[in-house]
Amino acid sequence: MLSLAKSKSSSVSSRVDMNNNNNPGELEIRPGGMFVQMRNSESSNRSSVSVPTIKVRVKFGSTYHEVLISPQASFGELKKMLSERTGLHPEEQKLIYKKKERDSKGYLDVARVRDGSKIVLVEDIINRERRCLEMLKIAKFQKDSNSIAQICLQVDKFAQQVTDLEAIASRGVELTDEHLDNLIGNLMTELVKLDEIVVEGDLKLQKRKQEKRVQSYIETLDLLKLRNTKLSSKSGEVPLQKQERSYGKVTVPLQKQAKQRNLTELKHPFRDSDSFVVTTKWETFD
């Protein structure tokens, strides 16, 4: 009898194991000895039950705002909801409950906020000013970054022109001074624009890099202009300074002749006059 009972219990347990493998649900024994799947009404009811919301009254100035919110929410979530109604950024808000400022990470139920509780909202002026300064700083950073990027694009265009001029000069072709002067003037304009930008950090490194580029292109154009001057002197053209010196040599004798003429006129003032009378009669006055 004992062996028969053991075999029955082992067979029942094996069937239970098979049923457990086929169906992961838990089994329970009914009074008649029948194995049935355990009801999960408690777990389903537990998951289906939602946390009730509470209504809190938030005073901002002379205005009251009624907000429906979960008691398990944080004060930071409440600030986000109030931001849509008041227009204040969450970082610019101070929530005071029971005469104490509440941290954004704190929870309503932990602070014992209940349905109908009253919370006071105050504007945080210090954080507002800090945010304004940060926004101005970000706006300036973006403006300076865009300015440097535009200058970089313009310098790239001028750099291509410098490269083309170098290629032309390498073939022995004489360049025009007007073209070189215009290109140097354009590069100097971009260099002045870079000098007017006051930046820090990575933008300062980018600015310095562009300044070195522009300076190197200007030096290259100066060398091309000097080479152009040498080619002009070899071809027999007289430089402008030499022409001025030769003109000065011609004008010096003319000036000397004018000075001599003035001296003779002072010595003989009546030499060129047509007629004059010399008398020895002197008129006396009593």
Side-chain angles (χ1 to χ4, degrees), residues 61-219:
S62 59
T63 308
Y64 282 89
H65 300 278
E66 293 184 350
V67 182
L68 292 175
I69 191 170
S70 170
Q72 297 179 357
S74 64
F75 284 94
E77 295 173 352
L78 179 58
K79 288 181 179 180
K80 292 180 181 178
M81 298 176 68
L82 292 171
S83 178
E84 300 175 356
R85 302 189 182 188
T86 61
L88 291 178
H89 193 273
E91 295 181 1
E92 300 175 5
Q93 299 179 21
K94 282 184 178 181
L95 291 179
I96 299 174
Y97 180 62
K98 292 184 178 180
K99 298 181 180 181
K100 183 179 179 181
E101 182 181 354
R102 301 297 173 170
D103 186 62
S104 298
K105 297 180 180 179
Y107 293 96
L108 300 179
D109 55 354
V110 176
R112 297 182 180 180
V113 177
R114 298 180 177 85
D115 186 53
S117 297
K118 179 182 176 181
I119 301 175
V120 179
L121 171 61
V122 180
E123 183 179 4
D124 192 345
I125 299 177
I126 297 177
N127 283 339
R128 181 181 180 182
E129 292 177 352
R130 186 184 295 112
R131 284 192 67 254
C132 290
L133 291 175
E134 290 178 356
M135 292 174 64
L136 290 174
K137 187 176 180 180
I138 293 172
K140 184 181 182 301
F141 179 85
Q142 293 177 350
K143 180 181 178 181
D144 294 338
S145 179
N146 293 333
S147 299
I148 293 176
Q150 291 177 0
I151 293 173
C152 181
L153 292 175
Q154 196 67 27
V155 171
D156 290 340
K157 295 179 182 179
F158 295 146
Q160 185 61 41
Q161 296 181 23
V162 174
T163 303
D164 295 340
L165 291 176
E166 284 183 311
I168 294 172
S170 64
R171 294 195 295 267
V173 180
E174 185 177 351
L175 304 174
T176 59
D177 290 340
E178 183 179 0
H179 192 188
L180 293 173
D181 291 337
N182 289 336
L183 191 53
I184 290 174
N186 292 332
L187 288 170
M188 288 296 295
T189 301
E190 300 302 322
L191 192 61
V192 171
K193 291 180 182 179
L194 286 171
D195 187 63
E196 292 176 352
I197 300 175
V198 180
V199 290
E200 297 178 355
D202 295 337
L203 287 182
K204 188 175 182 179
L205 296 176
Q206 296 180 15
K207 172 190 170 183
R208 185 57 184 164
K209 181 180 178 181
Q210 295 303 319
E211 288 176 345
K212 290 182 178 179
R213 284 185 65 199
V214 175
Q215 290 172 356
S216 64
Y217 294 144
I218 292 175
E219 291 174 358

Side-chain angles (χ1 to χ4, degrees), residues 38-53:
M38 184 182 294
R39 297 177 182 178
N40 55 358
S41 59
E42 294 181 359
S43 60
S44 60
N45 291 334
R46 203 181 301 120
S47 60
S48 62
V49 173
S50 60
V51 179
T53 59

Side-chain angles (χ1 to χ4, degrees), residues 2-16 35:
L2 292 175
S3 61
L4 181 61
K6 288 181 180 180
S7 62
K8 285 183 179 181
S9 61
S10 62
S11 61
V12 169
S13 62
S14 62
R15 284 199 303 270
V16 170
F35 286 90

